[in-house]
Amino acid sequence: MSTIDIFQMISIAGRRLLQVCGLIMVASLFFACSTQEQPAERPNILFIMADDHALRAISAYDKAYNLTPNIDRIAEGGIVFENSFVTNSICAPSRATMLTGKFTHINGKTDNVSRFDSTQWTFPGALQQVGYQTALIGKWHLRSQPVGFDHWEILNGQGHYYTPVFVTAEGRKSEEGYVTDLTTDKAIDWLDNQRDKEKPFCMLLHHKAPHRTWMPDTTDLYLYKEVNFPVPDTYFDSYENRRAAREQKMSIIEDMDVVYDLKMLDKEGELKTKYRNAFQRQYDRMNEAQRKAWDTKYEPLIEDFKQKNYQGKELALWKFQRYMEDYLATINSVDRNVGRVLDYLEANDLTDNTIIVYTSDQGFYLGEHGWFDKRFMYEESFKTPLLMKLPKRFQKIGGSVEALVQNIDYAPTFLHYAGAETPREVQGRSIHKIIDGTENNWRGSVYYHYYEYPNEHMVKRHYGIRTDRYKLIHFYNDIDKWELYDLKNDPEEMNNLYDSPSYQETIVGLKAQLQGLQELYQDTDRSTY
Ligand code: SGN
Ligand code: CA
């Protein structure tokens, strides 16, 4: 063999080697790319939640009271869930349900008083484990420190509207400004400057507003000046056949404080109400400019109120209008700030790969049955708004959806889209098949259980079932009363049919279904109810 042949052989072998190496490199590059690309394709999740935001105060649902053009942007091209429910209509239990996908008797957070065990399984922790960047900004209210977040910055307890205190792992500090703006500033800052942009994100952006005591931003003070809001038909409800409804303490007429709730903090100190001092403390959190703007708005109202000295029905109607004006004004700030976050997503090409959700921790009464607050299994507080807009590859339907969804369903839904497993113990179901239009075996009823009694607002303990047509509720503890509503004929739930002879068969059927749900959700320990 000549030297040339030897060189040729070496070069052929070398070329082969190079080819093989090349193939290996191409193949490994391909696999490397596909494993690297997969996370990039996983959708981001932006989970915006307000506190006590009634469905009727979102114009995508109802335009009777206010316009929320930015929140409605999620509904445009997105999905409006008409029958979205909570499991326990109060803040911390609802948040615990949403995080764990479990009813509150399972996750342990049945009321606002107890401490949530944040070391248990939650969806943000699960997303973090599969490579998501997770963040929580705003209201938390679970008493324990958040777990499962790469970044968290929360309000202390209920939070304050003005000069709120933010808490991080390092400590707490008050910040000058208005809570909804500050919470949004922090969210945008994390999205823009702090997260690892190589990874998908899941951000929980949880506003304090529109929670009591409904203190608007100074820029929104005159928004509803002289607007006459329609008074609900049930405002002067006398609670016939409904003892638990009669015995609550969340009546606008009876329990709403004219200073604390309705801002009649007169300088002369003549309006000495039960919670005057508590409101004084909120007022004192404003800086000089804020206070000046505030006084310019409220002083003439206070003067007018004192001079008119309303009584009876006139006072009741004045209170309703005053309440609505402030409640809705705090929502205007939420809406404006939702717009800022949506603009940020758009400007940074994030909209097409982000699941955007807007919800509330529960519904709220805007004068129906004469009430503010929540807690009852009646429609206004059992229902909660839910708007979702998803990347086109996931969302095949749009507009209104009637399926009965519940806040146990959020966790499995997010995990589904992240391509992660949902543990068997999770009680909710992913709603992805509703969203892609392929679901044909969805649940026909939802279960509810409320526990916080005796406590503020004195809503008695109760549990119940709701189907698309009926609702059966059992109030227990220091009472033993059942209520049945035919939602088709009586959507305002004024006519308790429990003792009506023509509904006895329906009741037997509903009680059997109710028992089935209690077994399904493992709420059968009778010693607790
Ligand atoms: C506070 C409110 C109540 C409200 C609870 C629970 N009182 O205690 O009116 O029902 O929160 O709300 S206040 O005087 O402090 O405003 S929740 O949304 O956190 O569950
Ligand atoms: Ca709430």
Side-chain angles (χ1 to χ4, degrees):
M1 199 184 280
S2 70
T3 332
I4 294 174
D5 288 342
I6 291 170
F7 274 122
Q8 263 178 351
M9 273 178 66
I10 292 172
S11 102
I12 291 167
R15 275 210 301 272
R16 288 242 166 90
L17 195 67
L18 272 176
Q19 278 168 356
V20 173
C21 285
L23 273 176
I24 291 171
M25 274 170 64
V26 169
S28 53
L29 252 177
F30 173 80
F31 286 114
C33 284
S34 54
T35 47
Q36 266 169 18
E37 253 167 40
Q38 202 192 356
E41 279 174 2
R42 291 186 294 175
N44 304 307
I45 299 164
L46 172 62
F47 186 86
I48 310 175
M49 183 154 75
D51 192 358
D52 295 357
H53 196 163
L55 202 120
R56 277 137 306 111
I58 295 179
S59 45
Y61 281 101
D62 193 333
K63 294 184 176 53
Y65 293 133
N66 61 338
L67 294 178
T68 50
N70 290 296
I71 296 170
D72 293 4
R73 281 162 68 184
I74 305 169
E76 284 151 23
I79 303 173
V80 179
F81 289 89
E82 301 287 345
N83 291 302
S84 149
F85 300 93
V86 293
T87 60
N88 182 351
S89 183
I90 181 162
C91 180
S94 174
R95 286 160 205 266
T97 296
M98 173 202 96
L99 290 166
T100 59
K102 294 171 188 160
F103 275 80
T104 58
H105 62 280
I106 301 288
N107 65 43
K109 187 71 179 137
T110 52
D111 56 33
N112 272 348
V113 185
S114 61
R115 187 185 144 91
F116 175 64
D117 170 12
S118 54
T119 63
Q120 67 186 289
W121 184 93
T122 64
F123 83 80
L127 289 176
Q128 195 183 38
Q129 296 242 310
V130 297
Y132 270 71
Q133 283 264 289
T134 57
L136 161 70
I137 297 173
K139 189 170 173 183
W140 169 248
H141 199 210
L142 292 172
R143 293 181 185 261
S144 45
Q145 277 211 350
V147 174
F149 298 96
D150 295 297
H151 174 83
W152 57 268
E153 192 161 3
I154 57 175
L155 295 165
N156 68 326
Q158 291 284 6
H160 301 285
Y161 278 103
Y162 284 90
T163 324
V165 176
F166 282 93
V167 184
T168 63
E170 281 76 49
R172 52 180 59 210
K173 79 172 196 287
S174 309
E175 291 188 36
E176 202 166 317
Y178 187 70
V179 69
T180 313
D181 291 342
L182 290 169
T183 306
T184 308
D185 294 346
K186 288 174 191 298
I188 294 177
D189 184 51
W190 183 77
L191 287 172
D192 206 26
N193 304 317
Q194 296 181 53
R195 73 189 164 100
D196 174 354
K197 291 187 178 162
E198 299 299 309
K199 294 180 175 175
F201 69 80
C202 171
M203 180 156 88
L204 276 54
L205 168 49
H206 292 178
H207 288 294
K208 173 196 169 59
H211 192 274
R212 198 179 181 191
T213 53
W214 319 297
M215 291 176 79
D217 189 354
T218 51
T219 55
D220 296 317
L221 287 171
Y222 298 95
L223 204 61
Y224 297 106
K225 194 173 174 246
E226 282 160 28
V227 171
N228 202 23
F229 296 104
V231 181
D233 297 343
T234 60
Y235 190 59
F236 293 103
D237 193 352
S238 56
Y239 314 116
E240 208 178 312
N241 278 332
R242 286 161 290 145
R243 196 182 127 194
R246 189 165 53 244
E247 294 182 2
Q248 46 57 46
K249 294 266 173 268
M250 48 187 255
S251 148
I252 295 176
I253 299 171
E254 304 284 334
D255 307 302
M256 199 175 254
D257 189 292
V258 295
V259 177
Y260 183 65
D261 292 309
L262 303 177
K263 327 293 172 353
M264 298 294 106
L265 183 72
D266 63 327
K267 292 274 182 300
E268 304 77 29
E270 288 164 1
L271 297 170
K272 290 187 182 49
T273 62
K274 193 169 168 191
Y275 297 113
R276 182 185 170 99
N277 293 343
F279 184 65
Q280 181 75 54
R281 286 194 292 277
Q282 299 305 321
Y283 174 88
D284 290 345
R285 301 187 73 85
M286 288 190 261
N287 67 25
E288 217 182 303
Q290 290 161 342
R291 230 175 279 170
K292 192 161 173 250
W294 188 272
D295 289 345
T296 307
K297 150 90 193 229
Y298 288 101
E299 274 174 2
L301 288 183
I302 294 170
E303 205 177 306
D304 187 60
F305 174 71
K306 287 173 81 168
Q307 195 220 326
K308 297 248 171 62
N309 193 22
Y310 297 117
Q311 303 295 327
K313 196 170 173 191
E314 250 192 333
L315 177 62
L317 293 173
W318 175 87
K319 284 179 107 176
F320 171 75
Q321 297 295 342
R322 188 78 282 292
Y323 161 46
M324 291 295 283
E325 186 182 343
D326 289 348
Y327 175 86
L328 295 170
T330 67
I331 290 174
N332 204 55
S333 170
V334 174
D335 186 68
R336 181 168 55 244
N337 279 291
V338 166
R340 288 177 60 207
V341 180
L342 298 182
D343 289 348
Y344 176 84
L345 295 185
E346 270 164 33
N348 290 278
D349 286 332
L350 290 164
T351 309
D352 291 346
N353 196 34
T354 301
I355 296 173
I356 306 169
V357 179
Y358 187 89
T359 187
S360 170
D361 59 343
Q362 10 68 206
F364 211 67
Y365 292 93
L366 302 180
E368 298 87 353
H369 305 287
W371 296 336
F372 64 104
D373 216 64
K374 50 262 177 176
R375 299 163 192 264
F376 279 106
M377 197 192 165
Y378 303 130
E379 294 292 88
E380 292 81 2
S381 48
F382 185 23
K383 274 192 181 176
T384 197
L386 179 64
L387 307 173
M388 284 179 85
K389 192 175 194 168
L390 295 95
K392 286 199 181 67
R393 63 185 185 282
F394 301 133
Q395 193 192 314
K396 303 292 176 210
I397 58 157
S400 288
V401 163
E402 298 293 330
L404 307 179
V405 300
Q406 210 163 12
N407 54 353
I408 42 172
D409 300 329
Y410 305 161
T413 304
F414 296 150
L415 290 179
H416 169 83
Y417 288 121
E421 287 282 312
T422 295
R424 287 177 68 86
E425 312 79 68
V426 168
Q427 298 179 309
R429 282 174 62 185
S430 168
I431 60 173
H432 66 276
K433 285 191 175 174
I434 295 175
I435 292 166
D436 69 20
T438 61
E439 181 61 62
N440 52 24
N441 186 28
W442 193 246
R443 66 168 73 93
S445 57
V446 280
Y447 180 62
Y448 182 82
H449 200 155
Y450 171 82
Y451 303 80
E452 198 180 275
Y453 177 88
N455 209 311
E456 202 179 1
H457 302 303
M458 297 302 276
V459 174
K460 295 186 190 291
R461 295 178 187 219
H462 58 292
Y463 59 85
I465 179 174
R466 185 200 190 278
T467 67
D468 60 350
R469 173 83 188 261
Y470 296 106
K471 187 183 291 178
L472 180 72
I473 313 176
H474 183 212
F475 290 93
Y476 68 96
N477 189 241
D478 64 349
I479 182 176
D480 179 10
K481 291 278 177 203
W482 289 83
E483 295 181 6
L484 171 74
Y485 297 98
D486 179 342
L487 299 169
K488 190 171 161 213
N489 298 326
D490 176 28
E492 292 175 333
E493 298 163 294
M494 296 289 281
N495 189 12
N496 175 12
L497 298 165
Y498 191 73
D499 293 323
S500 161
S502 48
Y503 283 88
Q504 294 313 302
E505 217 172 292
T506 306
I507 290 170
V508 171
L510 285 168
K511 280 193 175 170
Q513 281 191 61
L514 175 62
Q515 199 185 335
L517 288 182
Q518 289 181 324
E519 278 158 21
L520 174 69
Y521 295 127
Q522 299 157 47
D523 194 13
T524 48
D525 180 0
R526 297 277 160 175
S527 63
T528 62
Y529 65 92

